[in-house]
Amino acid sequence: MSSENILKEAFTQLCRELEQQIIGQRVLVQRLLLTLLCDGHLLLEGAPGLAKTRAIKSLARGLEADFHRIQFTPDLLPADLTGSDVYHPETGSFSFNEGPLFHNVILADEINRAPAKVQSALLEAMEERQVTVGATSYPLPPLFLVMATQNPIEQEGTYPLPEAQLDRFLLHVRVDYPDRHASRKILQVVRHEALCALEHKVPLELRKVTQKQVFTARREIMQLHLAEAVEEYIVEIIETTRNPGQYGQELSSWIRWGASPRGAIAIERAARSMAWLAERDFVTPEDVQNVAPDALRHRILLNYEAEADGITAQQCIDQILASVPAP
């Protein structure tokens, strides 16, 4: 088997194992892998108990990487994330004590419950891949992925994420309830895990995807063929969010602010990763249409009238994709 086939088989196995752990959430599993392959960060929104935490923990177990969960609360301080300088009185010197951000895979649980200073500390880590304490900046690990969660309910006492921070997330995925069949399968899986724990059975250790394999896959993805027509299609979708009037007055009356250049970058990289996971060496318009809603959902701002009428960003994106002709 060639090295290329070995690499794709490793990710295929990882996907298979994740789908066995996170029942009925195939889109979530796929978006997790896309985020990993794109070297991005993921924002998940969904009601409690929909396997958001389980998903990122399962991904970390399938990688040669360490994991840390941070529960965001209103009393959290930036130093609780970044770490701090510790004074040693016996020597009269300081040393830096690393915080939880110095792990490979981070779960920022209920990120919108933390105040602005904490969110800005996470923002620097996500964008600059470093943290600054005092006058010194410390680089984060080369493999660094943040998955943040927020609940659509219990919004009292929360701090909505500013648009600048939302833009740093590659994808914004909404997680819905599993169907009836998946719910039954979840009961069976949880029951089996409980029995294994009671009998002190150690789960089978699987071969993990190494960090070197992740970096190699990212390099291959950036070398996939992207036709000029597909590239122009991505640009036209982004331009339509900024100048929606060219495809109808209705869109123009909904959108107050369009997607930034990061939106185009997110669509292109995610579409490339979709093609790579499908074992194709080229990107199709269907790949773009598949990832565009999650790449744009948090980058389109609606005006007051649209929000008052119950219009959602998803409806705007659906209309844009229906209006812009695909190559």
Side-chain angles (χ1 to χ4, degrees):
M1 185 181 291
S2 67
S3 59
E4 183 178 346
N5 290 336
I6 292 174
L7 180 62
K8 290 187 176 179
E9 176 59 32
F11 278 91
T12 299
Q13 178 181 329
L14 175 60
C15 182
R16 202 160 42 232
E17 293 299 325
L18 288 175
E19 288 181 351
Q20 291 176 0
Q21 292 290 319
I22 304 104
I23 310 298
Q25 300 289 1
R26 177 166 292 183
V27 172
L28 170 56
V29 169
Q30 185 185 72
R31 284 352 188 206
L32 268 176
L33 290 178
L34 290 183
T35 305
L36 173 68
L37 292 170
C38 293
D39 191 20
H41 306 290
L42 181 66
L43 176 63
L44 287 186
E45 184 175 333
L50 295 182
K52 299 187 294 294
T53 302
R54 183 185 179 96
I56 192 67
K57 289 177 69 175
S58 298
L59 175 65
R61 282 198 299 268
L63 297 174
E64 193 182 73
D66 53 7
F67 167 78
H68 195 91
R69 175 181 179 271
I70 307 171
Q71 179 64 53
F72 279 59
T73 56
D75 60 348
L76 206 65
L77 299 174
D80 295 328
L81 272 64
T82 63
S84 58
D85 289 323
V86 178
Y87 179 68
H88 302 281
E90 63 276 7
T91 61
S93 62
F94 287 88
S95 66
F96 179 62
N97 188 22
E98 294 182 347
L101 285 181
F102 287 85
H103 290 78
N104 300 116
V105 181
I106 304 293
L107 169 61
D109 208 1
E110 294 191 287
I111 185 175
N112 55 332
R113 294 200 178 277
K117 283 187 177 181
V118 176
Q119 292 181 7
S120 66
L122 182 63
L123 175 64
E124 180 192 11
M126 290 167 57
E127 182 65 17
E128 307 296 335
R129 304 302 174 99
Q130 67 177 26
V131 299
T132 301
V133 177
T136 307
S137 296
Y138 301 90
L140 293 172
L143 178 63
F144 180 68
L145 185 155
V146 174
M147 190 192 87
T149 70
Q150 59 182 13
N151 296 331
I153 57 177
E154 296 181 5
Q155 294 302 306
E156 290 185 8
T158 62
Y159 302 81
L161 296 180
E163 286 73 16
Q165 184 161 340
L166 286 172
D167 202 28
R168 263 65 173 187
F169 288 99
L170 180 85
L171 302 174
H172 176 194
V173 178
R174 287 189 173 147
V175 186
D176 207 350
Y177 290 107
D179 59 25
R180 181 183 297 270
H181 173 74
S183 295
R184 286 197 63 189
K185 186 71 180 296
I186 290 170
L187 292 177
Q188 296 166 8
V189 169
V190 172
R191 185 164 59 243
H192 174 72
E193 291 177 348
L195 287 173
C196 288
L198 290 171
E199 296 171 3
H200 303 289
K201 289 183 178 179
V202 179
L204 181 65
E205 188 67 25
L206 301 171
R207 175 180 288 185
K208 296 185 177 183
V209 174
T210 66
Q211 293 192 26
K212 182 179 179 181
Q213 287 177 313
V214 173
F215 299 140
T216 302
R218 288 175 179 175
R219 188 162 53 250
E220 287 188 5
I221 286 167
M222 295 308 295
Q223 294 172 348
L224 291 184
H225 176 67
L226 179 68
E228 287 187 14
V230 178
E231 187 174 63
E232 182 61 32
Y233 181 47
I234 295 172
V235 172
E236 183 65 17
I237 290 173
I238 297 299
E239 281 298 316
T240 304
T241 70
R242 301 169 185 169
N243 302 292
Q246 59 185 320
Y247 287 109
Q249 189 59 36
E250 190 175 45
L251 265 179
S252 182
S253 66
W254 291 346
I255 300 177
R256 176 165 58 96
W257 205 258
S260 73
R262 286 197 190 97
I265 295 170
I267 292 176
E268 188 214 345
R269 290 191 176 179
R272 284 178 177 275
S273 299
M274 282 286 296
W276 189 84
L277 288 173
E279 301 187 7
R280 282 185 274 105
D281 58 0
F282 60 93
V283 181
T284 67
E286 289 74 23
D287 294 325
V288 173
Q289 294 163 0
N290 190 310
V291 302
D294 292 333
L296 297 178
R297 180 177 294 115
H298 53 306
R299 293 184 165 99
I300 293 178
L301 299 184
L302 304 181
N303 58 34
Y304 175 76
E305 291 78 8
E307 292 179 348
D309 292 340
I311 303 299
T312 64
Q314 182 65 50
Q315 288 175 271
C316 293
I317 297 167
D318 289 341
Q319 185 151 333
I320 289 171
L321 293 177
S323 301
V324 177

